[in-house]
Amino acid sequence: MGEEIFKQGSFKNSTNNIVEFLAIAYALAHCKKNNITVPIYSDSRHAINWVRDKQARTNLKRNSDNILLFELLDRAIKWLNENEYQNEILKWETGAWGENPADFGRK
C-alpha cells in the first residue's frame, strides 16, 4: 500500500464525482510540483472526464454547507486551465482490483 500524501474532508453536501475530481487535481498538482510522472488512478469516469475537459459538470448547487467544497473546486479548475501535466489519468478497475484504497471504504 502506498503512502498517504494528502487528505481533506469529509465534505458536507458533496458528491463522489466532485471529491474524485478534486483528488485527481490535487494529485496532478503534487506530481507536477515534485516532478513525479506516475499514472494517477480514479474509479470515477465522470471525474476523469471532468479533468480532461478542465471543468466539473456537476448539478450540485452551491449553498452554505458546501462553500469550502466549491472554493476548492474553483481552485482546481483554475489550476487545470493554467497548467500542463505529464501524468496519465487511468480508470481504476474495481471489479478486477477491488475498491480503490483512496475511497477509505466509503463505497
Side-chain angles (χ1 to χ4, degrees):
M1 195 68 58
E3 174 187 350
E4 186 176 298
I5 298 171
F6 56 86
K7 179 179 177 180
Q8 288 212 7
S10 67
F11 295 101
K12 285 184 175 182
N13 195 11
S14 181
T15 69
N16 286 339
N17 291 325
I18 289 175
V19 175
E20 292 274 353
F21 172 84
L22 290 173
I24 297 169
Y26 272 77
L28 289 170
H30 173 80
C31 287
K32 181 172 183 170
K33 179 181 177 183
N34 293 286
N35 199 29
I36 301 168
T37 57
V38 299
I40 296 170
Y41 286 87
S42 174
D43 60 5
S44 169
R45 290 191 195 282
H46 291 296
I48 292 169
N49 291 335
W50 293 354
V51 168
R52 180 197 64 216
D53 298 341
K54 301 179 182 182
Q55 58 182 329
R57 291 188 176 94
T58 182
N59 293 324
L60 185 67
K61 303 294 182 212
R62 293 178 191 242
N63 63 45
S64 59
D65 286 337
N66 62 21
I67 291 170
L68 173 60
L69 177 76
F70 273 94
E71 287 174 358
L72 294 172
L73 193 59
D74 292 341
R75 211 164 77 200
I77 292 167
K78 182 178 187 307
W79 187 92
L80 289 168
N81 280 293
E82 293 176 352
N83 290 275
E84 294 183 11
Y85 52 87
Q86 301 300 314
N87 308 78
E88 280 187 280
I89 303 170
L90 303 174
K91 174 70 171 75
W92 180 269
E93 298 301 337
T94 304
W97 305 331
E99 287 296 330
N100 187 329
D103 288 337
F104 298 101
R106 290 186 297 248
K107 288 186 179 176

